[in-house]
Amino acid sequence: MFREKYGEDVKGLIALYEATQLCIEGEDSLDDLGHLSCQLLQAWLTRHTEDHEAIYVANTLQHPLHYCLSRFRGRSIFPSDPKNTNEYWTTCLEELAEIDSCIVRFMNQNEIIQVYKWWKDLGIAKEVQFARYQPLKWYMWPMACFTDARFSDQRIELTKPISLIYIIDDIFDVHGTLDQLTLFTNAVNRWELAGTEQLPDFMAVCLTTLYDITNDFAQKIYERHGLNPIDTLKKSWVRLLNAFLEEAHWLNSGHLPKAEEYLNNGIVSTGVHVVLIHAFFLLDESITEETIAILDGFPNITYSVAKILRLCDDLEGTKSDDQNGIDGSYLDCYMSEHQDVSAEEAQRHVAHLISLEWKRLNREILTPNQFPSSFTNFCLNAARMVPLMYNYRSNPSLSNLQEHVKMLVNAVAVHI
């Protein structure tokens, strides 16, 4: 009955499909409606391939609004109006959008220029191992997640710890021996330089840079709020370095861990918790002893964003053959445990885990908690950014992000 009555109501089906993307774990009826509306929209597409709304419907099915960053959504994914019944208002909205885009473009250009200057003046940038690094990739995360224009300083500040996550990850993956990495991690656990004389210069410089940036960040927050977050920041870095070292031990021994063991450690080694903790303090809201204690405990919202990133990275890397298998992945571990499972079945399993984690993230976003809405929105945007940073398939938002990045690169070339 539903199929016959609503099978041609494409706008109603799209609205229903978009609404079901916000379902949380346990809302099985809403989930079923999502599958049904998806099937009806796919059937509609087969009957209306030449319709003016076909592209809009296809893009909605592949990239629902809830999972996308609005800033990078292209005009082609919005429904067209062949009758031009609202031409005046459409023109006004397009002009406003263009003005807004120009303002954001100019603001981002100024910010990335400041980031590049900071990087050039940093001692670690002079080390051979890091001389060719491009800060633009680091800046893209805060650019996408801190969407409010007033967060210009926050975008610049957050780029600094993000840069260290990428740099230290490369040290563990490429540049350091197991003995050096153990010495490096032990120093971070103690939060001191003593006993690191045997480290190569580039690792010692990185360690000093980590301490300096973290201490400077903590001092700025203390001056604004009277609460010193240094202990929380230290704990976040210690947790990350310990996870990196665990992966280094697996690689050195040739040991492939159990899938659950790999995933639990891999969620931490994404570094997402480090980014979200820094972002929380930069937002200047609800900074209390209670919320800080919750952050120290790796709250559910942090866990969900990190798990989505880890699984998406492993899944998309496998699909594109981008992963060389040296570091392993969740799929490697899962298929090692379940040797009767095909690669396609393992990929479907991971896709299901990602979908389930999005429902858990929805619960954290939609239900009241101790965190301000600005922080939960940041977390949501971080999860939305994952497909753009780790997706190797066609994505209409990706081309718009690439155009934005080209503009930033051109600005840097002129001013640096």
Side-chain angles (χ1 to χ4, degrees), residues 102-158:
C102 289
I103 293 171
V104 171
R105 187 182 305 123
F106 179 75
M107 184 171 55
N108 291 156
Q109 284 176 335
N110 288 332
E111 290 165 4
I112 192 60
I113 288 168
Q114 291 183 59
V115 167
Y116 265 84
K117 288 179 177 177
W118 164 80
W119 172 246
K120 285 183 68 176
D121 293 340
L122 202 62
I124 195 171
K126 298 174 176 64
E127 296 294 324
V128 174
Q129 290 82 358
F130 313 120
R132 297 174 64 86
Y133 277 34
Q134 296 296 319
L136 182 58
K137 183 177 182 179
W138 313 328
Y139 169 75
M140 286 167 63
W141 285 100
M143 178 190 75
C145 299
F146 276 131
T147 54
D148 196 311
R150 65 191 171 95
F151 290 144
S152 182
D153 290 341
Q154 286 86 340
R155 284 187 285 271
I156 295 170
E157 284 299 314
L158 188 58

Side-chain angles (χ1 to χ4, degrees), residues 216-235:
D216 181 64
F217 183 96
Q219 182 62 30
K220 290 176 180 177
I221 300 302
Y222 175 72
E223 290 172 359
R224 286 207 293 265
H225 301 287
L227 277 174
N228 192 334
I230 189 63
D231 288 338
T232 294
L233 299 177
K234 286 180 183 178
K235 289 175 186 175

Side-chain angles (χ1 to χ4, degrees), residues 390-408:
Y390 296 94
N391 195 333
Y392 307 94
R393 296 171 295 171
S394 173
N395 187 323
S397 297
L398 189 57
S399 61
N400 295 298
L401 177 61
Q402 288 170 338
E403 286 300 314
H404 195 75
V405 168
K406 284 180 184 178
M407 171 273 299
L408 296 179

Side-chain angles (χ1 to χ4, degrees), residues 320-388:
S320 68
D321 296 324
D322 188 69
Q323 304 276 7
N324 57 21
I326 293 175
D327 293 330
S329 71
Y330 178 79
L331 282 96
D332 294 331
C333 300
Y334 182 79
M335 292 182 69
S336 177
E337 280 186 62
H338 305 83
Q339 298 192 3
D340 58 332
V341 170
S342 68
E344 291 75 16
E345 289 172 325
Q347 289 173 8
R348 284 196 295 271
H349 168 69
V350 174
H352 171 72
L353 292 181
I354 294 170
S355 175
L356 184 60
E357 207 56 46
W358 262 103
K359 292 175 184 177
R360 292 169 178 163
L361 179 60
N362 285 343
R363 180 185 293 277
E364 297 300 315
I365 299 295
L366 297 172
T367 56
N369 56 50
Q370 296 88 340
F371 297 118
S373 59
S374 57
F375 178 70
T376 56
N377 286 337
F378 183 98
C379 294
L380 177 59
N381 285 334
R384 288 168 168 168
M385 185 63 171
V386 168
L388 297 182

Side-chain angles (χ1 to χ4, degrees), residues 161 164 191 208-220 228-230 233-234 236-237 278:
L164 291 172
W191 205 254
T208 301
T209 304
L210 170 62
Y211 296 162
D212 289 346
I213 288 177
T214 305
N215 291 333
D216 181 64
F217 183 96
Q219 182 62 30
K220 290 176 180 177
N228 192 334
I230 189 63
L233 299 177
K234 286 180 183 178
S236 71
W237 285 111
H278 282 79

